[in-house]
Amino acid sequence: MDKLFFYVALALVLVSGLVFAPETKGLAIHPMEQFTVTPLFGGDHIAWYTPTNVTLWMFLAVVAIIGLLVFGSSNRGIVPSRAQSVAELAYGFIYKMVEDVTGKDAVKFFPYIMTLFMFIVTANFLGLIPMSFTTTSHFAVTAILAMLVFVTVTITGFVLHGAKFLGLFWVSSAPLALRPILAIIELISYFVRPVSHCIRLAGNVMAGHAVLKVFAGFAGALGAGAFLPIFAITAVYALEVLVAFIQAYVFTILTCVYLKDALHPSH
């Protein structure tokens, strides 16, 4: 479902770029401009220390998480407030996921997994605010998150099991002649994990926002007929709200699956 949505969205973006190119005299729609990284304090040069719009919206995501989980639930009332209810639901949801998917011995990794989920879902929802910036639409952000998961899982596997962790790549239940071939396939798929992990999140988020921009451009050009793309914008926006949560959930549950392999590497 998410792959189909991504490919359809990409097709719409490409078509809009070809049909409404700036070289023509028609409508110019630039759906990818919303993902441009710009410095906050003038100038065009961006160094590693330059505060950018990405920096700002990641900071706002962290502030929102602290406000929800720390200050929103600080009273710990018997009758919880709305913020406390949301915080408790998120806590229980992720804790149950870690326990069910990875096992009770993985509960010690719960703070890390909870942090991942809350950052991604908060950044996704902040990106739905008009004129905001979606940090999770950039592969540079999602790649770092995916690599952190990959490195954590790999180190955990070798620390807990040593060389036995390599048993993850040796399919002992397969015929002996096929085991070396399967081991190569398993090894390649293991190193491809962070690639698919980051592309799935950034690709779906980027595609949805690009489609919204395309329909918004149509609405701005049609005048009295703008109600048609407005209906499409409403439908896509509702889908984007769903995607914002689902992609955070998918990223988190895949983290739990990968962590399970590190804790229990035998096939």
Side-chain angles (χ1 to χ4, degrees):
M1 180 66 181
D2 55 349
K3 289 184 178 179
L4 177 61
F5 175 68
F6 171 70
Y7 290 130
V8 171
L10 183 61
L12 281 171
V13 173
L14 291 176
V15 169
S16 68
L18 292 173
V19 177
F20 303 103
E23 289 79 7
T24 66
K25 295 183 179 180
L27 175 64
I29 301 176
H30 306 287
M32 306 308 289
E33 284 186 352
Q34 60 184 308
F35 307 115
T36 304
V37 179
T38 57
L40 292 179
F41 306 108
D44 296 325
H45 178 69
I46 298 178
W48 65 269
Y49 53 83
T50 304
T52 63
N53 49 354
V54 181
T55 311
L56 173 63
W57 285 96
M58 284 197 293
F59 174 75
L60 292 177
V62 172
V63 170
I65 294 169
I66 294 174
L68 175 65
L69 297 183
V70 178
F71 298 107
S73 57
S74 59
N75 292 330
R76 298 182 183 179
I78 298 177
V79 179
S81 62
R82 294 179 181 178
Q84 183 180 339
S85 297
V86 173
E88 290 177 354
L89 283 172
Y91 183 98
F93 176 71
I94 300 302
Y95 190 93
K96 189 77 163 53
M97 180 195 299
V98 173
E99 198 174 46
D100 290 347
V101 176
T102 315
K104 292 185 177 181
D105 53 343
V107 171
K108 57 188 175 183
F109 292 96
F110 165 75
Y112 174 60
I113 297 173
M114 178 71 176
T115 302
L116 272 179
F117 174 80
M118 290 305 301
F119 174 77
I120 294 172
V121 77
T122 304
N124 286 352
F125 278 111
L126 284 178
L128 294 175
I129 300 174
M131 306 304 293
S132 66
F133 188 88
T134 312
T135 56
T136 47
S137 66
H138 273 253
F139 293 108
V141 175
T142 59
I144 292 296
L145 296 177
M147 284 304 301
L148 285 174
V149 172
F150 178 78
V151 172
T152 301
V153 167
T154 305
I155 292 176
T156 301
F158 279 109
V159 168
L160 294 179
H161 305 285
K164 292 182 179 179
F165 179 63
L166 297 176
L168 178 67
F169 310 109
W170 190 254
V171 187
S172 56
S173 59
L176 184 60
L178 292 177
R179 291 179 192 176
I181 299 174
L182 292 176
I184 296 174
I185 295 174
E186 290 287 339
L187 189 63
I188 294 173
S189 66
Y190 184 81
F191 282 98
V192 169
R193 281 180 177 181
V195 179
S196 62
H197 210 183
C198 77
I199 289 178
R200 180 182 289 105
L201 173 59
N204 280 280
V205 173
M206 180 186 296
H209 284 63
V211 170
L212 282 174
K213 183 71 171 181
V214 170
F215 283 125
F218 289 153
L222 292 179
F227 67 91
L228 292 175
I230 286 175
F231 285 143
I233 290 171
T234 305
V236 174
Y237 192 88
L239 181 61
E240 277 290 277
V241 173
L242 187 62
V243 168
F245 175 80
I246 289 178
Q247 290 305 316
Y249 171 78
V250 169
F251 193 98
T252 309
I253 201 168
L254 284 176
T255 301
C256 293
V257 171
Y258 298 157
L259 186 59
K260 181 181 179 181
D261 289 340
L263 299 176
H264 312 285
S266 59
H267 272 277

